[in-house]
Amino acid sequence: MKTIFAGLYSTLVLAAVIPFGLVDARPFAAVAICMFALSAASLLLFGEPRRGRWVFVFALQLFIVTSAWIVIQTVHIPWPFLANPIWKDANLLAGLSRDTISVAPADTLASLLYIALPAMTFLTGLIIADTDRRARRILLVLAIGAGLISLFGLGQFLMFPKMLLTENKRYYLDSLTAVFVNRNTAATFLGVGFLLLATFASENGRAYFGFSSAPSGSFNEGLAFWFFAGLGLCCLTALMLTQSRAGLAATGIGALLYLPYLASQWKSRRSRLPSRASRSPPRKWLPAAGAIAVILVFAMIFGGRAILRADQRGADDDRFCVWSGTMHALSQNWLQGTGFGTFRTVFSAYRTPGCGIGGIVDRAHNSYLEGFLTLGIMFPIGVILIFLVLARAFWNGYRARRRQRHYPILGCASVLLAATHSAVDFSLQIPGFAIFFTGLLAPVISICCSREERVSENNSDVPAGLRIERSAEISEI
């Protein structure tokens, strides 16, 4: 039953990405209904997760507290000093005042779903991914899905550059956006997808080419290596064609943290014998240095368009003007906020003449500033708690796991990539990517919050990563 649920869960997470990142109301409602139904069924049938129960409880409590605060922002409060001053002016003009924290209570209440859906995705993933095998299968489906989406994006960009899925492209005509409207969201998605694909390419490559203590792998593992490596290169190439400066930089930061560790695991059986050469630091870190060199060379060759755009634009960017107005608004509403989902309404009152009069600014291009402005002091407290919990889970996984240790580092690199890019863009505010990202974190946390499992004695039925792990345990004994 859980295997069926895992398949439905993976399919739903990928389905949330495809229709323009789920920014339209109808596909958003359809995915929300399906995910909430899957969440309720999983909780009723399987109960709380056996793995990472403390993470599950924390996430659930944080979601409840955040939802309660959002609802409080929309109701009449008896303390006038917390109510937004806009209602005093409304009372003078119309004789009626709502006396709420939110300047637009209806928008705030409707925006609650944009937190609920990723939260339910994460909680459901923790319930379903209760074994290493099931968690890895979910990650495998997400990796293949990300690779196929990048391949589709490349094909459409090369053959039909003016099209976005089935519609005419209106924005970013010179950039690849895959299935997203914004190139920065596409860059974050492709960067995370590349890290996922690198994981499975490394696992199968180590087993097939004999760079582990396990016996050489089968033909299927070699085929899997070239398959994942090819999709990973598609992801990386598509990332370069997005021309997203911040996306390229954030992916580079995540890759520099993760890929050198993956490369350091490619050790032949001979190198595992106790010898002075195998213990020498230069030889030990040679694969990691090679991985860093490959990343830099690939970025210089294929990232020329993004580098050229960064050189031409420099510090001339409209988002800096938006940040100035956002900081001004934040200085007057830092305690209680202006109401979740009200940035578009609030910013118009603080927009400076230097930002011009064209267009409507509906995002701050900085998720931290926008969250602080709309939710108040509760937002930075919640973000700090989230980072602390994730850091503890990743650290516990790094210490407890041996041959699966790359999964905690994968989670850390993915969080670093998304968190860094969120400082200059709004990828995590796009529902489709938020669902994909939390759908990735859930199985990674499940792996981190458990110890080694016994695997089948029949190596032919064991995936490459688990087969290497079992062989290593036998060699240690």
Side-chain angles (χ1 to χ4, degrees):
M1 181 67 73
K2 280 190 177 180
T3 301
I4 296 175
F5 272 55
L8 294 174
Y9 177 80
S10 305
T11 303
L12 194 56
V13 170
L14 288 175
V17 175
I18 295 174
F20 308 107
L22 219 63
V23 294
D24 293 332
R26 289 184 178 179
F28 179 87
V31 171
I33 292 172
C34 294
M35 184 60 73
F36 292 151
L38 187 64
S39 301
S42 301
L43 185 60
L44 290 175
L45 291 174
F46 311 124
E48 294 182 355
R50 295 184 295 107
R51 292 179 163 192
R53 185 177 180 275
W54 64 276
V55 180
F56 180 87
V57 172
F58 165 79
L60 183 59
Q61 290 177 344
L62 181 63
F63 170 64
I64 293 174
V65 171
T66 304
S67 301
W69 174 243
I70 290 175
V71 172
I72 291 173
Q73 288 183 317
T74 65
V75 300
H76 173 77
I77 54 176
W79 305 286
F81 70 94
L82 287 179
N84 196 282
I86 192 176
W87 297 116
K88 296 179 181 179
D89 298 334
N91 190 32
L92 293 175
L93 295 174
L96 178 65
S97 176
R98 290 292 302 273
D99 290 334
T100 61
I101 294 175
S102 174
V103 300
D107 292 343
T108 297
L109 202 58
S111 298
L112 178 58
L113 281 174
Y114 291 96
I115 287 182
L117 189 50
M120 289 299 104
T121 302
F122 180 73
L123 296 173
T124 306
L126 286 178
I127 295 174
I128 295 175
D130 61 339
T131 64
D132 282 355
R133 184 184 296 272
R134 193 168 290 117
R136 292 181 70 257
R137 282 178 177 174
I138 292 174
L139 293 173
L140 180 68
V141 174
L142 297 184
I144 294 175
L148 294 179
I149 289 174
S150 70
L151 189 61
F152 168 80
L154 283 172
Q156 187 171 59
F157 181 72
L158 294 176
M159 293 185 292
F160 308 100
K162 305 300 181 182
M163 295 292 295
L164 179 59
L165 292 179
T166 58
E167 298 182 4
N168 291 325
K169 199 173 186 179
R170 292 180 291 176
Y171 309 103
Y172 307 108
L173 299 179
D174 61 338
S175 303
L176 184 149
T177 61
V179 295
F180 297 93
V181 177
N182 188 280
R183 63 181 164 209
N184 298 297
T185 307
T188 314
F189 171 80
L190 293 169
V192 174
F194 168 71
L195 297 182
L196 263 176
L197 289 163
T199 301
F200 293 102
S202 176
E203 286 184 359
N204 288 278
R206 286 173 58 202
Y208 180 71
F209 293 109
F211 284 89
S212 67
S213 57
S216 298
S218 62
F219 172 78
N220 290 337
E221 287 174 349
L223 188 64
F225 165 75
W226 293 112
F227 175 72
F228 289 117
L231 288 182
L233 289 177
C234 287
C235 258
L236 203 55
T237 304
L239 170 65
M240 304 301 174
L241 293 176
T242 62
Q243 300 190 61
S244 173
R245 299 164 293 176
L248 183 60
T251 302
I253 293 173
L256 288 175
L257 171 66
Y258 185 50
L259 295 190
Y261 180 82
L262 283 184
S264 67
Q265 300 305 298
W266 283 57
K267 300 176 181 178
S268 64
R269 289 187 290 272
R270 180 179 298 179
S271 67
R272 293 183 179 273
L273 298 175
S275 64
R276 183 176 301 177
S278 63
R279 292 194 298 267
S280 61
R283 183 171 180 176
K284 178 181 179 181
W285 294 107
L286 186 61
I292 295 175
V294 170
I295 295 171
L296 295 178
V297 170
F298 196 93
M300 292 177 62
I301 295 176
F302 296 98
R305 299 181 68 176
I307 297 173
L308 178 62
R309 180 169 170 262
D311 182 63
Q312 291 176 341
R313 297 289 298 272
D316 182 20
D317 200 306
D318 294 337
R319 74 189 66 193
F320 296 125
C321 183
V322 175
W323 290 351
S324 176
T326 305
M327 290 297 295
H328 185 201
L330 179 60
S331 65
Q332 300 180 5
N333 301 277
W334 64 271
L335 180 61
Q336 76 281 11
T338 62
F340 187 65
T342 61
F343 177 83
R344 177 176 178 173
T345 303
V346 172
F347 182 76
S348 59
Y350 295 91
R351 187 170 182 171
T352 60
C355 293
I357 60 175
I360 298 175
V361 180
D362 56 359
R363 294 284 192 278
H365 287 271
N366 185 314
S367 297
Y368 306 108
L369 284 181
E370 185 170 338
F372 201 167
L373 173 62
T374 57
L375 284 177
I377 192 64
M378 180 183 174
F379 180 80
I381 295 175
V383 169
I384 292 173
L385 290 176
I386 290 173
F387 282 146
L388 289 177
V389 168
L390 290 176
R392 179 187 170 188
F394 295 149
W395 176 244
N396 289 344
Y398 183 82
R399 292 191 306 169
R401 308 308 301 258
R402 291 191 295 275
R403 296 299 166 180
Q404 302 290 351
R405 184 170 289 173
H406 53 285
Y407 284 103
I409 302 178
L410 167 65
C412 186
S414 300
V415 169
L416 181 62
L417 191 162
T420 302
H421 203 182
S422 294
V424 292
D425 267 302
F426 47 82
S427 297
L428 284 175
Q429 296 172 244
I430 303 301
F433 176 74
I435 293 171
F436 180 84
F437 187 68
T438 51
L440 177 150
L441 278 183
V444 170
I445 292 295
S446 175
I447 294 175
C448 291
C449 295
S450 64
R451 298 188 179 276
E452 308 295 347
E453 294 182 341
R454 292 184 179 274
V455 296
S456 171
E457 296 293 332
N458 185 4
N459 279 346
S460 62
D461 297 331
V462 179
L466 299 181
R467 190 167 62 82
I468 293 173
E469 179 179 353
R470 176 180 177 274
S471 179
E473 290 176 355
I474 294 175
S475 64
E476 289 177 3
I477 294 174

